[in-house]
Amino acid sequence: MRRIEAALKRDGALITGIFLWVDPSEEITPEERYRIIMRLTAREEVLEQPATEAAALALTETIRQEFDGINGVEIVDYQLVSEADFSLADMRTMQRWDYDYLSYRAGTPDDPAPTAT
């Protein structure tokens, strides 16, 4: 988590949400693995600029590597997508990971992505 925290402190403002689909959704035995699909969302203007897009992609990869290194977790798919491409159906099937405490300790962003209900 320290690498994720450092990466979010550095570049967390580039993304607006981290969403996870976890299978199975119930608790499993230590011998089993959670399969996770991860989506990081960003504003279109972040993805339109090569420098900010590269930083957001690097952040995505750092987070993927850290999650994939957790015992019992397998990232089966991950992607950085624009908010415009992240649908309401995606929000219904995925859960928002509350990482704000890591990246916004000095305050909250003006417009974070809404939490799933």
Side-chain angles (χ1 to χ4, degrees):
M1 283 296 182
R2 291 191 191 277
R3 285 188 63 207
I4 292 175
E5 181 177 0
L8 287 171
K9 281 184 178 182
R10 184 183 61 247
D11 294 319
L14 297 174
I15 61 169
T16 56
I18 299 173
F19 297 87
L20 307 172
W21 177 84
V22 181
D23 180 49
S25 59
E26 63 275 347
E27 194 167 337
I28 58 175
T29 67
E31 296 79 29
E32 297 176 293
R33 296 183 72 138
Y34 289 104
R35 295 169 39 92
I36 296 177
I37 295 173
M38 180 183 298
R39 295 290 181 264
L40 282 77
T41 57
R43 291 189 199 101
E44 288 186 40
E45 56 266 22
V46 167
L47 301 177
E48 291 170 350
Q49 300 297 320
T52 55
E53 180 186 30
L57 286 167
L59 175 60
T60 300
E61 184 60 26
T62 296
I63 293 170
R64 192 241 5 124
Q65 288 175 354
E66 290 301 302
F67 267 81
D68 221 15
I70 297 171
N71 189 31
V73 170
E74 176 187 7
I75 301 295
V76 295
D77 187 41
Y78 69 102
Q79 190 175 17
L80 173 67
V81 297
S82 76
E83 290 177 336
D85 293 333
F86 193 75
S87 71
L88 287 173
D90 292 328
M91 289 190 73
R92 286 188 187 105
T93 59
M94 301 183 98
Q95 296 194 349
R96 185 177 188 270
W97 180 47
D98 183 13
Y99 64 92
D100 292 344
Y101 74 97
L102 293 175
S103 58
Y104 300 111
R105 288 191 181 171
T108 57
D110 293 334
D111 55 355
T115 58
T117 55

